[in-house]
Amino acid sequence: MTTPGELWLREYHDRKPDSQSVLIEAGRVVGDGRTSYDVFAERVGKARRVVDLGCGDGALLATFARQGTESLAGIDLSAGELELAAQRPELRAAQLKQGRAQELPFADKTFDAVVSHMTLMLMADLEQVVAEAARVLAPRGVFAAVVGGVGAVGATEVLFELAKPRFDAVPEERKPPIDGDRRTRSAEGFDEFLAPVGFEPVAWEQIVVDFAAPPEQVWVTCCETLYPASTLDDVQLAELRAEFSEATRGLLTADGILPAAVRLNIARTRLAE
């Protein structure tokens, strides 16, 4: 059954179908120089058949296509995002389905890798999600996810601190009813819901994604892509923007760049023998 959180996310991403990929493609992994899509696809490794849970506008699937993956599939709540995904030349032959990760419309043992980039942490009923992942994976198949890490850096940290009181003050009936599970915040939490369906202990890696840019760009990529920001009216957003500009003035480099970064975690495992 579709949850209120899923309905909210579907409506949000129908309005802003490229918001996630705009954010991800604006950042570069510190010490690597590529996007987190590129780094994640490399960590997953060579897989002939890949399905993306919460595939959005297909940016991650396109990355796998460029890496040489032969068979691609994705599922997402948002028809608007799937329309954009279908327009990507790399995804002409991909199976793009509207639906829930808890009810995958794919046959058993269809894929070599099930992946999720910044979506698993928003999903309800993780036990059902990973049971479905295990069902559609071939023996020794890979399950891998990117999830948000703890703590931001530079201007991003300032923004989160300034925005939190405003988000907290939004009336309950207007707050995004986002699903989610705190277990996605740690390797131990992942193992708790993955082990019962036959996955090995996860390999856990933290990466830092750098969004340093002129202040205007940092504001757009880091604030306007925050789900709770959509609950603020124009006056509240303008006030937050003015506060952010003033509070980060001292962080600007000599060439007008505002340091900003976030931490992400990559969890990776396989089906046990």
Side-chain angles (χ1 to χ4, degrees), residues 30 36 49 55 68 74 85 99 139 144 157 178 184 192 204 214 226 239 264 267:
V30 173
S36 60
R49 304 167 298 173
C55 65
E157 180 180 21
I178 303 293
T184 59
E192 185 179 328
W204 189 257
L226 285 174
E239 291 173 347
L264 304 179

Side-chain angles (χ1 to χ4, degrees), residues 115-127:
V115 301
S116 167
H117 189 289
M118 296 297 285
T119 57
L120 188 72
M121 62 192 193
L122 303 174
M123 293 180 186
D125 194 1
L126 286 185
E127 280 77 10

Side-chain angles (χ1 to χ4, degrees), residues 52-244:
D52 184 3
L53 309 184
C55 65
D57 67 359
L60 177 60
L61 285 173
T63 302
F64 276 101
R66 292 190 293 271
Q67 183 175 282
T69 301
E70 297 174 18
S71 178
L72 298 160
I75 189 166
D76 200 274
L77 296 167
S78 166
E81 289 188 310
L82 292 171
E83 282 183 21
L84 287 186
Q87 294 171 22
R88 292 181 181 271
E90 304 96 328
L91 304 184
R92 280 192 295 264
Q95 298 182 69
L96 301 173
K97 306 286 188 179
Q98 185 176 12
R100 308 173 70 233
Q102 297 87 345
E103 304 166 1
L104 295 179
F106 305 112
D108 295 358
K109 299 179 174 57
T110 305
F111 301 103
D112 305 303
V114 174
V115 301
S116 167
H117 189 289
M118 296 297 285
T119 57
L120 188 72
M121 62 192 193
L122 303 174
M123 293 180 186
D125 194 1
L126 286 185
E127 280 77 10
Q128 182 60 27
V129 173
V130 298
E132 281 290 271
R135 179 183 66 79
V136 302
L137 275 172
R140 299 294 294 153
V142 171
F143 179 84
V146 174
V147 294
V150 177
V153 181
T156 318
E157 180 180 21
V158 173
L159 176 59
F160 291 170
E161 290 176 353
L162 291 174
K164 187 177 186 306
R166 292 182 179 275
F167 296 160
D168 289 344
V170 172
E172 286 298 322
E173 64 271 16
R174 286 176 45 207
K175 289 182 179 178
I178 303 293
D179 297 312
D181 194 310
R182 295 178 65 87
R183 291 176 295 176
T184 59
R185 299 182 182 183
S186 69
E188 294 77 15
F190 262 80
D191 288 338
E192 185 179 328
F193 60 80
L194 285 168
V197 292
F199 287 101
E200 296 175 345
V202 299
W204 189 257
E205 176 186 4
Q206 183 181 94
I207 60 175
V208 178
V209 181
D210 182 16
F211 290 100
E216 170 70 18
Q217 185 175 335
V218 171
W219 169 264
V220 170
T221 57
C222 294
C223 177
E224 295 190 3
T225 53
L226 285 174
Y227 289 131
S230 66
T231 66
L232 303 181
D233 60 31
D234 290 343
V235 172
Q236 291 171 318
L237 275 175
E239 291 173 347
L240 177 58
R241 185 171 185 172
E243 290 179 5
F244 174 70

